[in-house]
């Protein structure tokens, strides 16, 4: 079984782009197992207010439904705290083969000021990392 970790935020377009990559993998329905991860942070809690679990967040639910419709086994995972650290921990815990991140456009100054979760994950894992765009 080929395992992928798909960390998503509240943006449905990014989540669906990540899912499109996974569903396009060869023999995805027969050979892929997906873990959709949502990390509750101060920022995401404000965006995902009134949701008691990750499965109630539209981006998470749509990602899971699309994967299931493609015949892919899906597990929704949630955590809270530091997004980069949680992604790396779940990649290790589930022994995933690939981490599929949803990229967003930021200026070089924006990256320097706010950091980049994608950059941190890439630099701190020995697992392959794929960064998709958005379906916008």
């Amino acid at each position: 079984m080929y395992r992928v970790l798909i960390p998503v935020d509240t943006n449905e377009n990014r989540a669906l782009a990540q899912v499109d990559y996974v569903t396009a993998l060869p023999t995805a329905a027969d050979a892929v197992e997906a873990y959709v991860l949502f990390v509750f942070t101060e920022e995401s809690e404000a965006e995902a207010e009134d949701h008691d679990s990750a499965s109630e967040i539209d981006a998470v639910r749509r990602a899971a439904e699309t994967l299931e419709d493609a015949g892919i086994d899906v597990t929704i995972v949630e955590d809270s705290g530091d997004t980069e650290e949680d992604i790396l921990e779940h990649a290790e815990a589930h022994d995933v083969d690939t981490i599929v991140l949803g990229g967003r456009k930021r200026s070089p100054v924006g990256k320097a000021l706010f950091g980049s979760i994608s950059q941190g994950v890439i630099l701190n894992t020995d697992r392959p990392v794929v960064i998709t765009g958005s379906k916008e």
Side-chain angles (χ1 to χ4, degrees), residues 43 106-117 119:
E43 180 182 314
R106 284 196 178 164
S107 69
V109 172
K111 289 178 189 174
L113 290 176
F114 301 109
S116 171
I117 292 169
Q119 181 179 12

Side-chain angles (χ1 to χ4, degrees), residues 72-86:
I72 296 172
D73 292 332
V74 180
T75 302
I76 296 174
V77 184
E78 62 183 66
D79 209 326
S80 62
D82 180 83
T83 305
E84 178 187 326
E85 184 178 303
D86 290 339

